[in-house]
Amino acid sequence: MYLKLSLSRTNLNSSLFFLNFFPPRIRPLGLPRATASEFPATLFKFLNFYSSLPLPLDHSDYILYSGFDFDSFFSSLLDHSVHKRHLNQIHAQLVVSGLVESGFLVTKFVNASWNIGEIGYARKVFDEFPEPSVFLWNAIIRGYSRHNLFGDAIDMYSRMQASGVSPDGFTLPCVLKACSGVPVLEVGKRVHGQIFRLGFESDVFVQNGLVALYAKCGRVEQARIVFEGLDDRNIVSWTSIISGYGQNGLPMEALRIFRQMRQWNVKPDWIALVSVLRAYTDVEDLEQGKSIHGCVVKMGLEFEPDLLISLTAMYAKCGQVMVARSFFDQMEMPNVMMWNAMISGYAKNGYTNEAVGLFQEMISKNIRTDSITVRSAILACAQVGSLELAKWMGDYINKTEYRNDVFVNTALIDMFAKCGSVDLAREVFDRTLDKDVVVWSAMIVGYGLHGRGQDAIDLFYAMKQAGVRPNDVTFVGLLTACNHSGLVEEGWEFFHSMKDYGIEARHQHYACVVDLLGRSGHLNEAYDFIMTMPIEPGVSVWGALLGACKIYRHVTLGEYAAEQLFSLDPFNTGHYVQLSNLYASSRLWDRVAKVRILMREKGLSKDLGYSLIEINGKLQAFRVGDKSHPRFKEMFEELESLERRLKEAGFIPHIESVLHDLNQEEKEETLCNHSERLAIAYGLISTAPGTTLRITKNLRACINCHSATKLISKLVNREIVVRDANRFHHFKNGVCSCRDYW
């Protein structure tokens, strides 16, 4: 047998590549076999050899070798191939030598092509081979499956069966992985049947593939049946069922299986630990999560990328954002999942500026975002409350492929509504092509937040006309809209219509109805409604009743509601403050004092009120009587001017809004120094005439400031948008969008 190797200068590089793989007994001129470090020296010797040959060399001059092991030679070449040009050279030699008909070498060639990502080349060589064996079929199916080309893998499996080749234990796991990846449960079930017919029901690798298939297709109970039928479970078996439960929203069951695995003395690998960390993250069990973190360190796996991502997500979701950031900073090149874990962790724990800043850093580094990234950033923008920032985010989304993403658009609708522009929210809603119930509900909730009850109702009927069936969130939005607009009869009808859609009322629905009845003055009806509830009234229900009692100064009923709240949620400061406000509005100062003593005994303190105003995209914060701002003198001069103009216009302060036992003059001075009044004054001296002022208040607006702001909007000819703890108020020309119903 002879190998013909051309030595023309034009293919010297090709010759050098081949040379290093010659067996010692046939290497030309006794050149030693080159290791990686010796390879340059070998090249130099071969170059000297080639240069010493008499010139010119005919293109037909060849070196002949006999007794050559072609399989070993070409296998070695293929194992070391890293470029397509190497494959081209080898393929040419196989064709010239007639070895292209060797099933062993063609299978090796297909595998080598997959290894360097030459998918088309692998398929071309496969298609040219007559009557592929099961090994060659396995190579092509495995390659497609490895590269997540699951549809192609399933198609090749179908062709394999049609050609009469029977699959083996190496074929079936790859096919099951492909069925899981699409996913196509029906195809997977047919493969499951073939597994029984072919006698692979005891093959642990095949059965592990079935466990993963059923879990990824949402049939976790079927996955459990396959798992329980395994006599010889390995770590992959345990990991598959643990991750299956976790992926299907059953973290407690996943953790139970993990404990069972440890009882069987099975040592977890990093994949199992990732699944367990995700389960502890879902149930927000930080202490147990820390114990798994310790296990990770003991096993020396703390730098495994997937574990770093899981640890970052766990600590971030459990509120330990600084610890999470330390893991994030350990990675030189964090992938998108790491960015997502950190941005969403910041957003969900109230670190809104950090979340937005990290998102902007990600964009500046040209790191590709995904839908989860942008939704987390949108959530953070909604919490910041800055309309300028919200507009920036909207403009960014419009330039990306997520412009028509229904999940992203739903988040944008929510963001614009919470940042004060329900009209921009409606623009996003109108451009969304495939509106599902979540999109419709988000817009209805947005209208409810701004007290536009009739718009919410009209949209609900349009939703029904479009053939979209409402869900429980839809009715929360509707009831909130009716509540904020004083539409008592409409809200009552909507509540009772829920059963027509098979929707069972939750605490949030009942709380909306209690609020609806209570705020409209129907306190006894609200109480009777609570007493007839089919479920035990919760904090939100009794809180709504207490709030209504404060408005109408119904002390007896308010005290009863407060007693229920104290028993259900004894360390919530807000309940004590509400009761204290009820007493104060009724001038029961001795009872106010008792509530304050009770709060001190429980170690509770009232949250300080503050207001934020957005000026040129930046937020400024103010507290009652705040004199710390550099421009406080200008602000107080503006406040005095506003107070004079208010009195000249006939405004009478609502002194009962002061919840302290003060004299008349002290009460009036306190009222004009409320944080939202300071924010308005700062806005007036910092912006051009006619500019809309946008203010966010952490507490509910008091009656006096609400009345004053209405008149101020008319006196200064400005629109003033205030977002308090419950809703939005749009003040313009002396009128508020809530129509004094809030």
Side-chain angles (χ1 to χ4, degrees):
M1 211 176 253
Y2 296 94
L3 173 67
K4 194 160 56 174
L5 177 63
S6 174
L7 289 179
S8 64
R9 280 196 173 88
T10 56
N11 72 344
L12 174 61
N13 289 334
S14 299
S15 301
L16 294 178
F17 172 69
F18 282 113
L19 178 67
N20 203 47
F21 302 98
F22 276 64
R25 69 177 183 275
I26 59 171
R27 195 168 293 115
L29 300 183
L31 289 178
R33 182 172 181 82
T35 63
S37 60
E38 297 168 341
F39 195 58
T42 304
L43 292 179
F44 181 69
K45 288 183 179 180
F46 184 75
L47 184 59
N48 287 339
F49 157 72
Y50 179 56
S51 301
S52 68
L53 294 175
L55 296 175
L57 260 181
D58 241 347
H59 189 72
S60 59
D61 290 335
Y62 298 102
I63 299 174
L64 301 179
Y65 300 94
S66 62
F68 189 72
D69 183 352
F70 285 99
D71 285 351
S72 297
F73 172 65
F74 282 108
S75 290
S76 185
L77 283 177
L78 289 165
D79 289 341
H80 291 80
S81 298
V82 293
H83 298 292
K84 185 179 180 181
R85 65 176 181 271
H86 295 159
L87 296 180
N88 287 333
Q89 295 165 28
I90 297 168
H91 192 208
Q93 293 294 335
L94 291 176
V95 172
V96 169
S97 62
L99 293 172
V100 75
E101 296 179 6
S102 167
F104 171 77
L105 289 176
V106 170
T107 301
K108 291 283 292 187
F109 191 96
V110 168
N111 286 328
S113 300
W114 285 121
N115 290 339
I116 63 173
E118 287 296 330
I119 299 169
Y121 210 155
R123 181 59 181 268
K124 175 180 178 294
V125 173
F126 174 86
D127 287 340
E128 292 173 351
F129 193 85
E131 299 183 6
S133 67
V134 65
F135 306 108
L136 187 50
W137 281 107
N138 286 351
I140 198 73
I141 292 170
R142 180 172 58 250
Y144 277 130
S145 186
R146 277 176 50 200
H147 285 78
N148 297 331
L149 299 169
F150 301 123
D152 292 307
I154 295 170
D155 179 61
M156 294 305 290
Y157 180 65
S158 299
R159 286 182 55 186
M160 174 184 178
Q161 291 181 293
S163 69
V165 177
S166 182
D168 62 13
F170 296 97
T171 319
L172 295 167
C174 298
V175 177
L176 289 170
K177 178 185 175 184
C179 292
S180 304
V182 175
V184 280
L185 181 60
E186 289 308 312
V187 176
K189 285 181 176 180
R190 291 199 293 271
V191 175
H192 191 176
Q194 291 168 345
I195 288 169
F196 274 99
R197 288 195 298 273
L198 295 169
F200 288 103
E201 61 270 20
S202 299
D203 188 309
V204 67
F205 300 104
V206 173
Q207 296 300 308
N208 287 344
L210 281 172
V211 173
L213 165 71
Y214 285 117
K216 289 182 180 178
C217 291
R219 303 297 180 90
V220 68
E221 288 307 316
Q222 187 65 41
R224 181 64 177 271
I225 291 171
V226 177
F227 173 79
E228 294 293 350
L230 281 171
D231 295 325
D232 185 22
R233 299 169 190 159
N234 59 18
I235 182 60
V236 178
S237 312
W238 290 98
T239 301
S240 297
I241 193 66
I242 290 170
S243 61
Y245 275 116
Q247 291 162 4
N248 285 279
L250 298 165
M252 295 304 294
E253 190 62 22
L255 295 172
R256 194 185 70 79
I257 296 292
F258 176 68
R259 286 191 290 271
Q260 183 182 344
M261 169 183 150
R262 298 299 289 145
Q263 289 169 1
W264 283 43
N265 294 320
V266 179
K267 184 179 179 181
D269 60 6
W270 68 267
I271 301 173
L273 293 176
V274 166
S275 298
V276 174
L277 280 171
R278 287 175 179 169
Y280 280 126
T281 301
D282 289 340
V283 299
E284 297 187 35
D285 190 338
L286 182 60
E287 290 308 310
Q288 290 299 319
K290 285 181 177 179
S291 69
I292 300 299
H293 183 189
C295 182
V296 169
V297 174
K298 287 179 182 177
M299 294 174 66
L301 298 171
E302 62 267 35
F303 299 111
E304 175 62 43
D306 283 359
L307 280 170
L308 278 175
I309 294 168
S310 298
L311 287 168
T312 302
M314 181 191 73
Y315 281 107
K317 187 174 181 181
C318 294
Q320 302 287 318
V321 290
M322 299 307 293
V323 178
R325 185 58 189 259
S326 69
F327 289 113
F328 178 85
D329 291 337
Q330 284 181 33
M331 296 189 73
E332 292 184 13
M333 295 286 290
N335 61 20
V336 67
M337 289 187 290
M338 196 71 160
W339 287 93
N340 289 350
M342 200 65 243
I343 292 171
S344 64
Y346 275 139
K348 291 173 182 176
N349 286 284
Y351 292 81
T352 52
N353 292 325
E354 289 83 354
V356 174
L358 196 60
F359 177 71
Q360 291 173 334
E361 179 186 340
M362 186 178 183
I363 294 173
S364 68
K365 292 181 176 179
N366 294 318
I367 298 171
R368 184 178 176 82
T369 61
D370 63 13
S371 178
I372 297 173
T373 320
V374 295
R375 278 184 279 157
S376 297
I378 291 169
L379 171 64
C381 291
Q383 292 173 346
V384 171
S386 165
L387 185 59
E388 288 302 311
L389 182 61
K391 288 179 178 178
W392 173 83
M393 177 59 75
D395 291 340
Y396 168 78
I397 297 299
N398 281 335
K399 298 172 186 175
T400 69
E401 69 267 32
Y402 305 112
R403 187 179 191 277
N404 296 318
D405 186 306
V406 66
F407 300 105
V408 171
N409 282 344
T410 303
L412 284 175
I413 291 168
D414 178 71
M415 176 191 72
F416 280 124
K418 288 179 177 175
C419 290
S421 180
V422 74
D423 294 328
L424 287 176
R426 183 58 191 256
E427 286 182 16
V428 177
F429 174 83
D430 289 339
R431 79 164 190 237
T432 303
L433 300 177
D434 298 318
K435 300 181 182 71
D436 61 10
V437 64
V438 182
V439 176
W440 288 92
S441 299
M443 193 65 241
I444 290 171
V445 170
Y447 277 135
L449 192 61
H450 288 261
R452 290 171 60 167
Q454 194 56 53
D455 288 327
I457 292 171
D458 292 343
L459 193 62
F460 174 73
Y461 288 126
M463 172 184 174
K464 288 177 62 179
Q465 192 171 5
V468 179
R469 189 177 181 84
N471 62 12
D472 60 329
V473 178
T474 313
F475 281 98
V476 169
L478 271 175
L479 292 171
T480 302
C482 293
N483 181 18
H484 288 169
S485 305
L487 303 175
V488 181
E489 292 183 7
E490 292 87 342
W492 187 252
E493 290 176 6
F494 281 126
F495 174 77
H496 286 287
S497 72
M498 289 172 60
K499 61 179 179 294
D500 298 336
Y501 300 95
I503 299 171
E504 189 174 342
R506 297 183 288 108
H507 278 100
Q508 203 168 357
H509 301 102
Y510 288 111
C512 285
V513 173
V514 172
D515 208 26
L516 179 71
L517 294 171
R519 288 186 186 279
S520 61
H522 299 92
L523 293 175
N524 291 330
E525 289 85 345
Y527 174 77
D528 292 339
F529 177 77
I530 294 173
M531 292 297 101
T532 58
M533 282 174 55
I535 59 176
E536 195 69 26
V539 171
S540 58
V541 173
W542 291 114
L545 183 62
L546 178 57
C549 290
K550 190 266 176 185
I551 296 172
Y552 294 99
R553 301 177 193 170
H554 197 312
V555 176
T556 304
L557 188 56
E559 287 179 329
Y560 180 77
E563 288 175 9
Q564 309 307 311
L565 287 168
F566 296 160
S567 64
L568 291 170
D569 194 11
F571 295 101
N572 188 319
T573 304
H575 307 324
Y576 298 90
V577 172
Q578 269 198 312
L579 180 61
S580 176
N581 290 348
L582 169 60
Y583 287 146
S585 64
S586 303
R587 300 175 181 275
L588 300 172
W589 302 112
D590 56 332
R591 298 192 190 183
V592 171
K594 289 180 180 178
V595 174
R596 290 176 179 170
I597 292 171
L598 183 60
M599 290 178 65
R600 280 198 296 271
E601 289 175 350
K602 291 182 175 292
L604 304 175
S605 59
K606 180 182 176 181
D607 293 332
L608 293 175
Y610 64 84
S611 294
L612 301 170
I613 184 168
E614 182 182 358
I615 303 293
N616 298 323
K618 294 183 178 180
L619 295 174
Q620 300 279 339
F622 299 95
R623 297 189 183 278
V624 60
D626 195 346
K627 296 183 180 181
S628 62
H629 197 277
R631 300 183 66 184
F632 83 92
K633 289 185 178 179
E634 298 172 72
M635 288 164 52
F636 279 92
E637 288 174 2
E638 184 66 26
L639 274 177
E640 290 176 358
S641 172
L642 284 175
E643 287 304 310
R644 285 196 302 270
R645 295 174 69 180
L646 284 170
K647 288 182 179 179
E648 290 170 1
F651 177 73
I652 300 174
H654 192 276
I655 59 174
E656 291 180 355
S657 293
V658 177
L659 304 177
H660 304 284
D661 191 8
L662 305 174
N663 62 39
Q664 179 82 10
E665 185 177 346
E666 289 173 325
K667 287 182 178 181
E668 291 189 15
E669 182 180 355
T670 299
L671 287 171
C672 73
N673 287 329
H674 276 189
S675 62
E676 55 263 57
R677 300 280 281 278
L678 295 175
I680 290 171
Y682 179 72
L684 292 174
I685 66 173
S686 303
T687 60
T691 304
T692 298
L693 303 183
R694 300 185 181 277
I695 297 168
T696 301
K697 183 176 173 62
N698 70 322
L699 304 177
R700 183 176 178 270
C702 72
I703 296 174
N704 183 75
C705 286
H706 187 271
S707 301
T709 305
K710 284 195 300 182
L711 188 51
I712 290 171
S713 70
K714 184 176 181 179
L715 294 175
V716 300
N717 194 27
R718 300 275 194 119
E719 181 179 1
I720 303 173
V721 180
V722 178
R723 175 188 180 182
D724 70 8
N726 294 333
R727 57 169 297 162
F728 276 91
H729 300 264
H730 296 258
F731 301 93
K732 192 173 183 179
N733 297 325
V735 179
C736 179
S737 60
C738 74
R739 296 177 297 174
D740 297 336
Y741 189 88
W742 91 105

